[in-house]
Coordinates of all heavy atoms in Angstrom, one line a residue:
F1 N -1.6 56.5 9.8 CA -2.0 55.1 9.8 C -3.6 55.0 9.9 O -4.1 54.0 9.6 CB -1.3 54.3 10.8 CG -1.8 54.6 12.2 CD1 -2.8 54.0 12.9 CD2 -1.0 55.6 13.0 CE1 -3.2 54.3 14.2 CE2 -1.4 55.9 14.3 CZ -2.5 55.3 14.8
L2 N -4.2 56.1 10.4 CA -5.7 56.1 10.5 C -6.3 56.0 9.2 O -7.5 55.5 9.1 CB -6.1 57.3 11.3 CG -5.6 57.4 12.8 CD1 -6.0 58.8 13.4 CD2 -6.2 56.3 13.6
F3 N -5.7 56.5 8.2 CA -6.3 56.5 6.8 C -5.3 56.0 5.7 O -5.7 55.9 4.6 CB -6.9 57.9 6.4 CG -5.9 59.0 6.7 CD1 -5.1 59.5 5.7 CD2 -5.9 59.6 7.9 CE1 -4.3 60.5 5.9 CE2 -5.0 60.7 8.1 CZ -4.2 61.1 7.1
I4 N -4.1 55.8 6.0 CA -3.1 55.3 5.1 C -2.9 53.8 5.3 O -2.6 53.4 6.4 CB -1.7 56.1 5.3 CG1 -1.8 57.5 5.0 CG2 -0.6 55.4 4.4 CD1 -2.2 57.8 3.5
H5 N -3.0 53.1 4.2 CA -3.0 51.6 4.4 C -1.9 51.0 3.4 O -2.1 49.8 3.0 CB -4.4 51.0 4.1 CG -5.4 51.6 5.0 ND1 -5.4 51.3 6.4 CD2 -6.5 52.3 4.7 CE1 -6.5 52.0 6.9 NE2 -7.1 52.6 5.9
F6 N -0.9 51.7 3.2 CA 0.2 51.2 2.4 C 1.5 51.2 3.2 O 1.5 51.7 4.3 CB 0.3 51.9 1.0 CG 0.4 53.4 1.1 CD1 1.6 54.0 1.4 CD2 -0.7 54.1 0.8 CE1 1.6 55.4 1.4 CE2 -0.7 55.5 0.8 CZ 0.5 56.1 1.1
M7 N 2.6 50.8 2.6 CA 3.9 50.7 3.3 C 4.3 52.0 3.9 O 4.2 53.1 3.3 CB 4.9 50.2 2.3 CG 4.7 48.8 1.8 SD 6.0 48.4 0.5 CE 7.5 48.3 1.4
S8 N 4.7 51.9 5.2 CA 5.2 53.1 5.8 C 6.1 52.8 7.0 O 6.1 51.6 7.5 CB 4.0 54.0 6.4 OG 3.3 53.2 7.3
L9 N 6.8 53.7 7.5 CA 7.6 53.6 8.7 C 7.4 54.9 9.5 O 7.8 56.0 9.0 CB 9.1 53.4 8.4 CG 10.0 53.4 9.6 CD1 9.7 52.3 10.6 CD2 11.5 53.3 9.2
G10 N 7.0 54.8 10.7 CA 6.8 56.0 11.5 C 8.0 56.5 12.2 O 8.8 55.7 12.7
W11 N 8.2 57.8 12.1 CA 9.2 58.5 12.8 C 8.7 59.8 13.5 O 7.9 60.5 12.9 CB 10.3 59.0 11.8 CG 11.2 58.0 11.2 CD1 11.2 57.6 9.9 CD2 12.3 57.4 11.8 NE1 12.2 56.7 9.6 CE2 12.9 56.6 10.8 CE3 12.9 57.4 13.1 CZ2 14.0 55.8 11.1 CZ3 14.0 56.6 13.3 CH2 14.6 55.8 12.3
T12 N 9.1 60.0 14.6 CA 9.0 61.5 15.1 C 10.3 62.2 14.6 O 11.3 61.5 14.3 CB 9.0 61.6 16.7 OG1 10.2 61.0 17.2 CG2 7.8 60.7 17.2
A13 N 10.2 63.5 14.6 CA 11.3 64.2 14.1 C 12.6 64.0 15.0 O 13.8 63.8 14.5 CB 11.1 65.7 14.1
Q14 N 12.5 63.9 16.3 CA 13.6 63.7 17.2 C 14.2 62.3 16.9 O 15.5 62.2 16.9 CB 13.2 63.8 18.7 CG 12.8 65.2 19.1 CD 11.3 65.4 19.0 OE1 10.6 64.8 18.2 NE2 10.7 66.3 19.9
E15 N 13.4 61.3 16.8 CA 13.9 60.0 16.5 C 14.6 59.9 15.2 O 15.7 59.3 15.1 CB 12.7 58.9 16.5 CG 12.1 58.7 17.9 CD 10.8 57.9 17.8 OE1 10.2 57.9 16.7 OE2 10.4 57.4 18.8
Q16 N 14.1 60.6 14.2 CA 14.7 60.6 12.9 C 16.0 61.3 13.0 O 17.0 60.9 12.3 CB 13.8 61.2 11.8 CG 14.3 61.0 10.4 CD 13.4 61.4 9.3 OE1 13.3 62.7 9.1 NE2 12.6 60.5 8.8
G17 N 16.0 62.4 13.8 CA 17.3 63.2 13.9 C 18.4 62.3 14.5 O 19.5 62.3 14.1
R18 N 18.0 61.5 15.5 CA 19.0 60.6 16.1 C 19.5 59.6 15.1 O 20.7 59.4 15.0 CB 18.4 59.9 17.3 CG 19.4 58.9 18.0 CD 18.8 58.2 19.2 NE 19.7 57.1 19.6 CZ 19.4 55.9 19.8 NH1 18.1 55.5 19.6 NH2 20.3 55.0 20.2
W19 N 18.6 59.0 14.3 CA 19.0 58.0 13.3 C 19.9 58.6 12.3 O 20.9 58.1 11.9 CB 17.7 57.4 12.7 CG 18.0 56.5 11.6 CD1 18.7 55.3 11.8 CD2 17.7 56.5 10.2 NE1 18.8 54.6 10.5 CE2 18.2 55.4 9.6 CE3 17.0 57.5 9.5 CZ2 18.0 55.2 8.2 CZ3 16.9 57.3 8.2 CH2 17.3 56.2 7.5
V20 N 19.6 59.8 11.8 CA 20.4 60.5 10.8 C 21.7 60.9 11.4 O 22.8 60.6 10.8 CB 19.6 61.7 10.2 CG1 20.6 62.5 9.4 CG2 18.5 61.3 9.4
G21 N 21.7 61.5 12.5 CA 23.0 62.1 13.1 C 23.9 61.0 13.6 O 25.2 61.2 13.5
Q22 N 23.4 60.0 14.1 CA 24.3 58.9 14.7 C 24.5 57.7 13.8 O 25.6 57.0 14.0 CB 23.6 58.4 16.1 CG 24.5 57.6 16.9 CD 23.9 57.3 18.3 OE1 23.0 58.0 18.7 NE2 24.4 56.3 19.0
F23 N 23.6 57.5 12.8 CA 23.7 56.2 12.0 C 23.8 56.5 10.5 O 24.8 56.2 9.9 CB 22.6 55.3 12.4 CG 22.6 54.9 13.8 CD1 21.8 55.6 14.8 CD2 23.3 53.8 14.3 CE1 21.8 55.2 16.1 CE2 23.3 53.4 15.6 CZ 22.6 54.1 16.5
L24 N 22.7 57.0 9.9 CA 22.6 57.1 8.5 C 23.7 58.1 8.0 O 24.4 57.8 7.0 CB 21.2 57.6 8.0 CG 21.1 57.7 6.5 CD1 21.4 56.4 5.7 CD2 19.7 58.3 6.1
G25 N 23.8 59.3 8.5 CA 24.7 60.3 8.0 C 26.1 59.8 8.0 O 26.8 59.8 7.0
P26 N 26.7 59.3 9.2 CA 28.0 58.8 9.2 C 28.2 57.5 8.3 O 29.2 57.4 7.7 CB 28.2 58.3 10.7 CG 27.2 59.3 11.4 CD 26.0 59.4 10.5
A27 N 27.2 56.6 8.2 CA 27.3 55.5 7.4 C 27.5 55.8 5.9 O 28.3 55.3 5.2 CB 26.1 54.6 7.6
L28 N 26.7 56.9 5.5 CA 26.8 57.3 4.1 C 28.1 57.9 3.8 O 28.7 57.7 2.8 CB 25.6 58.3 3.9 CG 25.3 58.6 2.4 CD1 25.0 57.4 1.6 CD2 24.1 59.6 2.4
K29 N 28.6 58.8 4.7 CA 29.8 59.5 4.5 C 31.1 58.6 4.5 O 32.1 59.0 3.8 CB 30.0 60.6 5.6 CG 29.0 61.7 5.5 CD 29.0 62.4 4.2 CE 27.9 63.5 4.1 NZ 27.9 64.0 2.7
R30 N 31.0 57.5 5.2 CA 32.2 56.7 5.2 C 32.1 55.5 4.2 O 33.0 54.7 4.1 CB 32.4 56.0 6.5 CG 31.3 55.1 7.1 CD 31.7 54.5 8.4 NE 30.6 53.7 8.9 CZ 29.8 54.1 9.9 NH1 30.0 55.3 10.5 NH2 28.8 53.3 10.3
S31 N 31.1 55.5 3.3 CA 30.8 54.5 2.4 C 31.5 54.8 1.0 O 32.0 55.9 0.8 CB 29.3 54.3 2.2 OG 28.8 55.3 1.4
S32 N 31.4 53.9 0.1 CA 31.9 54.1 -1.3 C 30.9 54.9 -2.1 O 31.2 55.2 -3.3 CB 32.1 52.7 -2.0 OG 30.9 52.0 -2.1
V33 N 29.8 55.3 -1.5 CA 28.8 56.1 -2.2 C 28.6 57.4 -1.5 O 27.6 58.0 -1.4 CB 27.5 55.4 -2.4 CG1 27.6 54.4 -3.5 CG2 26.9 54.9 -1.1
A34 N 29.7 57.9 -0.9 CA 29.7 59.1 -0.1 C 29.2 60.4 -0.8 O 28.9 61.4 -0.2 CB 31.0 59.4 0.6
E35 N 29.3 60.3 -2.2 CA 28.9 61.5 -3.0 C 27.4 61.6 -3.0 O 26.9 62.7 -3.4 CB 29.4 61.3 -4.4 CG 28.7 60.3 -5.3 CD 29.2 58.8 -5.0 OE1 30.0 58.6 -4.1 OE2 28.7 57.9 -5.7
V36 N 26.6 60.6 -2.6 CA 25.2 60.7 -2.7 C 24.7 61.7 -1.6 O 25.1 61.6 -0.5 CB 24.5 59.3 -2.4 CG1 23.0 59.4 -2.4 CG2 25.0 58.4 -3.5

């Protein structure tokens, strides 16, 4: 963000891991687009 001035969302790797492992991964697998 010190030199990037366009759309972004900050993640640390651990935070992203929690989001993927607990939320995004399961949501995708149980959806109608689980093949993605």
Side-chain angles (χ1 to χ4, degrees):
F1 67 89
L2 296 172
F3 49 90
I4 295 294
H5 303 294
F6 51 80
M7 296 173 66
S8 63
L9 173 64
W11 288 106
T12 66
Q14 293 95 328
E15 290 168 343
Q16 191 175 81
R18 178 179 171 233
W19 177 62
V20 168
Q22 190 173 344
F23 299 94
L24 178 61
L28 193 58
K29 292 304 180 186
R30 63 175 176 258
S31 74
S32 63
V33 289
E35 73 280 2
V36 176

